[in-house]
Amino acid sequence: MKKKLSIFIFSLTIFTSFSQVKDSTLSKKQISLDEIEIKSSRENKFGISKLNNIEGTTIFAGKKSEAVYVQDLNANLASNNSRQVFSKVAGINVFENDGSGITISIGGRGLNPNRISNFNTRQNGYDISADALGYPESYYTPPTEAIERIEILRGAAGLQFGTQFGGLINYKFAEAPKDKKIATNLSQTGGSYSFLNSFNQIYGHVSKIDYNTFYLYKNYGGWRKNSNLISHNAFASVRFNINDNLSIKGEYTHLQYLAKQAGGLTDKQFYKDASYTNRNRNWFKVNWNLMSISSDYKVNDFAKVSFCGFGLLAGRDALGFLGRPDRSDDTSLNRNLLSDTYKNFGAEVKYLQRYILNDYNSHFLIGARVYQGLTDRKQGDADKSDQANFKFLNPDLLENSHYLFPSSNFALFAENIFQFNRNWSVTPGLRYEKINTSANGYYRLIYKDLAGSVLLDAKVKEEKQNIRDFILAGIGTQYKTGCCIELYANFSQNYRSINFNDMRVLNPNFAVDPNLKDERGFTTDAGMRGSYKDLIYFDLSFYFLKYNNRIGTIIKTDSNTYNLIRYRTNVSDSRNVGAEAFCELDWIKLVNKSAKHKLSTFVNLAFTDARYINSKESAYRNKIVEYVPSIIFRTGIAYGWKGFHLNLQYSYTSDQYSDATNAESSVSGIYGTIPAYSVVDISSGYKFKKFSVSTGINNALNSLYFTRRAEGYPGPGIIPADPINYYLNLKLHF
């Protein structure tokens, strides 16, 4: 198709991984142009890359970032196997709670992995955690089979996405195909211990409407007695493409699951028989409802605006006996019920302006966020049965506690990419935060002596409010040395609000300092990354993370009962120093670039030294920060030919501590070391036209290991990792 165009200034900017075309100015004349379509493609086919400098209205330039392309991974996607899904992201430490993958727990750069609480966790750009300020734990994990890619941004994410030391994890769902009115993705997986995962998706494009729906059913019998899970997960989205410049999208996500929990173990119990359990009355229930409405508007060729409003109506209930694992559950006593409900609403708006600086494209971003959260937490007695009866015996006057935790947040942020020349850019940024967190309710104060006699039993009312505002600053830079190598560096201040929500949980195994303070610090990193076609991809970086008033867990004697307990408090300042390296190379393409076979090897290695510093207490002066392995090493080899693939992966995590005093062991199993462990995973598959089959063995060498010592649910105590298990997946896509 031919079109006549009067052109005064013709500007064409092509963004690739490591090059940018300079603007050109042409004189006015009549020319005929063929209509062309430009399609973007990522820089390699290894399943991982860095994020582009700009994605939509988000700036990633000058930052440590990764994009994991899930469908390129040969992994057990049905169980969200974190060892495999995040195998190519350096420095990721994993908690393995169960083999179903209903939720995942990961941490990076020496930060606690529990329920991804040290990352700002999002789905398609909006929050999915319980409360972004007071309780940033994620009880919902998007199903991996629905995801196009997982976007990861390290500590510098705080400037655009909010206050978290770990950074951002954003699960971006696959978009509906533009060339089909209706398409389906049917994926059925079965495996060991009665594992069943049925993922069924229908999506497409009709006229100006894109739609995407899926339903996921999950059933897991568990390898330990008294453990099983049933889950239902549904999603629906509709995008109205009003015109070429404006679109509006609405989304709804629902998750509900019920799990029976086998509880934790002592060290002696674990090494004698890891499948042992002495809990048959512990249950856990989640009901999650996420809603969002978003809009993207292209003002002109130089400016665009995005808006996202989101909400969460959810709850989670934990029912059972929280006593130490070396003590049997006394079935003559009532169970304890912890019940939370979450009602959160928020909105973000961002404006991106492109402008010319020294004949090159620079970009200015400004945005705002408002957020309102409310957590209603109750704790009291439930019945004595072994059934999943999530009802309080005395709902009007709870035995343990009842609190409301309202929170609000207003933020303004701005970043600017100054593109000084073809190769060099600098990206400074600022964020203003105003945070208001409150607690209003009562708790029951009980002290018992060593014989179990009650010394004190009182009901204490409490009301707190904490209002603060502050400014965070950061700056990043990147320099492209050639067609395939980029140097980058970044500095960013960090902040993390204290977790009011867990301050008044009555648990015989731990207590919380009532005078907790917010955590502050900064992250700086520098590195070199690059890729060359489908031959090689690499990213080598070094980082320093300073963490002031770090909240951690110590072992202390309760002054009232004289029992040893875990105590959550501002331990001291800490600093994390580390190096992260990833490289993947296709050996066959190194020799023959046109080869149809693929034989690649990846190496993922992270060194971390995280210690408490500036401490006045000798008990944890210069001690290693809890849940920080000094070495995390993953490597693998992959072979592919036409539709066939075969993968072998080895993972090693060095030993780590579960508390700030670096205690070696305990009779209860609740604190002590987590020994080093190694795991081997094997996967293979074949794809033929619209049909594919894949299978694999996780923990192929049947290693006996564990990754955490829980102080509450799903423990307390050692949570054993799954033994050897297999899976078989059948997929039909048309």
Side-chain angles (χ1 to χ4, degrees):
M1 182 173 60
K2 302 285 186 180
K3 292 185 179 180
K4 293 290 184 179
L5 299 177
S6 295
I7 296 182
F8 294 89
I9 297 178
F10 173 65
S11 296
L12 174 63
T13 304
I14 299 176
F15 288 90
T16 65
S17 302
F18 304 103
S19 63
Q20 184 176 4
V21 179
K22 189 175 181 179
D23 295 336
S24 300
T25 303
L26 305 179
S27 58
K28 178 180 177 181
K29 62 180 180 180
Q30 294 277 23
I31 59 173
S32 297
L33 296 177
D34 291 327
E35 187 177 84
I36 62 172
E37 182 181 4
I38 300 176
K39 294 185 177 181
S40 63
S41 62
R42 64 179 185 274
E43 59 208 35
N44 66 69
K45 302 297 182 182
F46 291 122
I48 187 170
S49 72
K50 80 177 189 72
L51 290 163
N52 292 324
N53 291 342
I54 296 175
E55 302 268 357
T57 54
T58 301
I59 290 177
F60 294 107
K63 299 176 174 66
K64 168 80 169 180
S65 66
E66 291 112 338
V68 178
Y69 291 86
V70 174
Q71 302 308 318
D72 287 350
L73 301 177
N74 299 314
N76 188 353
L77 301 184
S79 67
N80 291 336
N81 189 298
S82 299
R83 285 193 313 272
Q84 294 178 297
V85 173
F86 294 94
S87 63
K88 300 181 180 183
V89 181
I92 294 295
N93 192 18
V94 177
F95 276 177
E96 298 181 28
N97 296 318
D98 65 74
S100 71
I102 190 64
T103 59
I104 66 171
S105 295
I106 60 172
R109 294 183 168 179
L111 300 175
N112 196 312
N114 188 40
R115 298 192 188 277
I116 330 182
S117 59
N118 280 286
F119 281 99
N120 186 310
T121 312
R122 300 189 175 203
Q123 171 182 286
N124 295 332
Y126 53 88
D127 294 2
I128 63 174
S129 59
D131 187 309
L133 296 173
Y135 195 50
E137 298 191 4
S138 299
Y139 289 94
Y140 158 68
T141 298
T144 313
E145 292 162 302
I147 297 170
E148 174 197 352
R149 72 182 188 187
I150 303 173
E151 300 172 343
I152 304 170
L153 184 61
R154 299 307 175 103
L159 297 182
Q160 289 184 71
F161 297 98
T163 55
Q164 283 297 341
F165 277 80
L168 166 78
I169 289 184
N170 181 43
Y171 298 95
K172 185 176 180 180
F173 284 178
E175 297 284 349
K178 297 290 186 181
D179 58 343
K180 293 184 179 181
K181 292 184 178 181
I182 182 170
T184 61
N185 180 13
L186 308 177
S187 179
Q188 316 303 316
T189 306
S192 303
Y193 314 114
S194 303
F195 179 71
L196 174 64
N197 190 90
S198 179
F199 178 81
N200 306 279
Q201 183 178 33
I202 300 176
Y203 51 175
H205 174 80
V206 179
S207 185
K208 294 185 177 182
I209 297 176
D210 299 317
Y211 67 93
N212 183 6
T213 64
F214 67 74
Y215 168 73
L216 171 64
Y217 171 79
K218 191 185 293 285
N219 190 323
Y220 179 60
W223 68 281
R224 300 173 65 199
K225 189 179 178 181
N226 298 322
S227 63
N228 56 67
L229 175 140
I230 297 178
S231 167
H232 303 271
N233 185 190
F235 172 81
S237 74
V238 178
R239 173 188 281 117
F240 296 92
N241 301 297
I242 297 174
N243 53 46
D244 292 340
N245 298 325
L246 177 63
S247 66
I248 299 175
K249 181 171 70 170
E251 293 186 359
Y252 171 71
T253 305
H254 173 72
L255 168 71
Q256 66 179 58
Y257 72 83
L258 175 65
K260 191 171 186 179
Q261 298 180 326
L265 301 176
T266 65
D267 292 67
K268 183 177 180 180
Q269 291 168 344
F270 172 78
Y271 288 110
K272 182 179 180 180
D273 179 9
S275 66
Y276 173 74
T277 171
N278 59 9
R279 300 287 183 267
N280 71 338
R281 303 195 299 163
N282 288 15
W283 295 86
F284 197 83
K285 180 178 72 171
V286 166
N287 182 21
W288 224 250
N289 296 278
L290 287 161
M291 298 141 284
S292 78
I293 183 167
S294 60
S295 178
D296 293 295
Y297 176 59
K298 181 180 176 182
V299 180
N300 52 49
D301 290 338
F302 286 82
K304 60 178 68 174
V305 179
S306 67
F307 167 83
C308 182
F310 55 91
L312 170 70
L313 298 175
R316 71 109 171 113
D317 298 279
L319 172 66
F321 175 60
L322 276 175
R324 289 167 37 167
D326 57 340
R327 298 174 181 174
S328 298
D329 183 0
D330 187 348
T331 57
S332 66
L333 300 178
N334 293 329
R335 291 179 292 176
N336 191 260
L337 174 60
L338 290 85
S339 180
D340 283 10
T341 58
Y342 313 107
K343 298 179 181 179
N344 306 328
F345 303 93
E348 289 183 348
V349 60
K350 295 191 288 186
Y351 174 82
L352 181 70
Q353 176 72 48
R354 177 168 62 93
Y355 63 96
I356 306 301
L357 176 66
N358 294 332
D359 297 329
Y360 289 88
N361 287 303
S362 292
H363 294 81
F364 172 70
L365 169 71
I366 188 170
R369 172 184 169 96
V370 293
Y371 180 84
Q372 182 73 47
L374 177 63
T375 295
D376 185 351
R377 164 158 285 188
K378 303 175 182 178
Q379 184 179 8
D381 287 350
D383 67 27
K384 303 174 183 178
S385 75
D386 60 359
Q387 301 300 304
N389 298 326
F390 296 91
K391 294 182 179 179
F392 290 106
L393 294 179
N394 303 294
D396 296 330
L397 185 59
L398 301 175
E399 291 81 5
N400 298 123
S401 65
H402 184 193
Y403 270 83
L404 294 177
F405 297 98
S407 62
S408 63
N409 174 220
F410 172 73
L412 291 172
F413 53 92
E415 289 199 57
N416 196 104
I417 302 177
F418 292 102
Q419 191 73 43
F420 293 115
N421 56 45
R422 181 175 181 178
N423 298 321
W424 181 42
S425 69
V426 175
T427 308
L430 289 172
R431 184 180 182 93
Y432 167 77
E433 289 270 5
K434 183 174 183 180
I435 297 175
N436 184 355
T437 51
S438 304
N440 188 356
Y442 68 87
Y443 67 96
R444 185 181 178 190
L445 186 63
I446 304 175
Y447 291 134
K448 296 181 181 180
D449 60 20
L450 295 176
S453 301
V454 176
L455 302 176
L456 175 66
D457 189 344
K459 178 181 176 182
V460 181
K461 293 185 178 180
E462 190 174 38
E463 185 173 352
K464 292 183 178 181
Q465 186 176 35
N466 188 0
I467 302 175
R468 58 274 199 207
D469 62 343
F470 51 89
I471 293 177
L472 301 176
I475 187 169
T477 184
Q478 64 185 35
Y479 181 81
K480 300 170 185 176
T481 63
C483 65
C484 59
I485 297 178
E486 178 180 88
L487 305 176
Y488 63 93
N490 189 276
F491 168 87
S492 181
Q493 291 179 304
N494 299 111
Y495 176 93
R496 192 169 191 261
S497 173
I498 63 172
N499 188 340
F500 276 120
N501 194 40
D502 72 350
M503 287 188 63
R504 286 305 173 195
V505 177
L506 294 187
N507 185 326
N509 305 302
F510 76 98
V512 180
D513 185 349
N515 299 311
L516 282 177
K517 300 177 182 178
D518 293 336
E519 302 163 306
R520 297 174 180 268
F522 64 86
T523 302
T524 182
D525 49 35
M528 177 176 66
R529 57 195 173 197
S531 69
Y532 181 70
K533 298 183 178 179
D534 294 337
L535 178 63
I536 187 172
Y537 176 79
F538 67 91
D539 192 337
L540 171 65
S541 64
F542 301 89
Y543 72 89
F544 179 88
L545 190 158
K546 182 63 171 18
Y547 211 130
N548 299 329
N549 293 325
R550 182 168 186 144
I551 295 174
T553 303
I554 64 173
I555 305 301
K556 64 174 292 186
T557 301
D558 190 305
S559 59
N560 297 286
T561 66
Y562 302 104
N563 290 324
L564 286 177
I565 60 171
R566 291 164 64 91
Y567 191 66
R568 184 171 172 83
T569 185
N570 294 101
V571 176
S572 74
D573 297 348
S574 70
R575 62 103 184 103
N576 298 13
V577 180
E580 300 169 335
F582 174 83
C583 182
E584 185 161 11
L585 174 67
D586 190 323
W587 298 97
I588 294 180
K589 284 189 171 59
L590 187 64
V591 178
N592 183 1
K593 296 181 180 180
S594 61
K596 295 183 179 179
H597 295 263
K598 174 183 178 181
L599 181 64
S600 65
T601 303
F602 80 84
V603 176
N604 179 346
L605 181 61
F607 295 98
T608 304
D609 182 68
R611 295 183 181 273
Y612 287 105
I613 59 175
N614 303 329
S615 174
K616 298 179 181 179
E617 298 289 339
S618 60
Y620 35 84
R621 185 180 302 137
N622 202 37
K623 292 297 180 67
I624 297 173
V625 176
E626 57 269 35
Y627 292 115
V628 184
S630 59
I631 299 174
I632 298 177
F633 173 65
R634 296 185 177 98
T635 186
I637 184 169
Y639 171 74
W641 178 63
K642 295 184 178 179
F644 175 76
H645 66 80
L646 176 64
N647 292 74
L648 175 67
Q649 178 180 309
Y650 170 80
S651 304
Y652 169 80
T653 302
S654 64
D655 55 357
Q656 49 195 303
Y657 294 100
S658 63
D659 74 283
T661 61
N662 293 179
E664 294 290 338
S665 63
S666 66
V667 175
S668 68
I670 297 173
Y671 57 91
T673 58
I674 298 171
Y677 60 90
S678 301
V679 189
V680 173
D681 299 300
I682 303 172
S683 60
S684 64
Y686 181 74
K687 182 178 181 181
F688 179 74
K689 295 183 179 180
K690 299 178 181 180
F691 175 79
S692 67
V693 57
S694 60
T695 186
I697 303 175
N698 293 124
N699 192 3
L701 300 183
N702 201 25
S703 299
L704 177 66
Y705 69 102
F706 62 93
T707 61
R708 68 177 299 193
R709 295 176 182 266
E711 57 193 20
Y713 294 103
I718 290 172
I719 308 300
D722 279 26
I724 184 172
N725 61 93
Y726 72 90
Y727 67 92
L728 175 66
N729 171 261
L730 303 176
K731 182 182 292 186
L732 182 63
H733 191 116
F734 60 88

